[in-house]
Amino acid sequence: MLELAVKTIDDKKAANIVALNMKGVSLIADYFVICHGNSEKQVQAIAHELKKVAQEQGIDIKRLEGYDTARWVLIDLGNVVVHIFHKDERVYYNLEKLWGDAAIIELEGVLD
């Protein structure tokens, strides 16, 4: 599911994709994926595509929040939670620093 989420958001040109291994750090999910779009429309396009692909694959979307304002969209896919920020909000919230105890997952093989 992690690979599917990363590939899907990459296809919609999500910027600076980071995946964090949250096992042992948070009970919320096994993985967080963080990315951003450069406009509200791009943030919505990334979120819309991920929702569509997840549903096509039979993946239950537990929660989708923030789509209308498109400043920070959260999509909960169960063991993977995807955070799609507007570029300005990403710097402000800085989840990578907030969850600094989580290991960063190498995405080189997924994004090639």
Side-chain angles (χ1 to χ4, degrees), residues 59-76:
I59 297 168
D60 184 33
I61 297 172
K62 311 266 187 243
R63 175 180 262 167
L64 191 152
E65 295 183 10
Y67 183 84
D68 292 336
T69 57
R71 302 302 290 180
W72 177 0
V73 179
L74 180 142
I75 302 176
D76 184 346

Side-chain angles (χ1 to χ4, degrees), residues 13-16 34-44 46 69-73 83-96:
K13 308 295 185 222
N16 195 14
I34 305 165
C35 67
H36 71 266
N38 293 314
S39 68
E40 285 88 354
K41 288 207 180 292
Q42 186 185 17
V43 169
Q44 287 178 331
I46 295 165
T69 57
R71 302 302 290 180
W72 177 0
V73 179
H83 301 268
I84 308 165
F85 286 97
H86 184 281
K87 65 178 178 182
D88 298 333
E89 303 299 321
R90 184 170 185 176
V91 172
Y92 179 78
Y93 288 102
N94 197 359
L95 290 188
E96 292 95 324

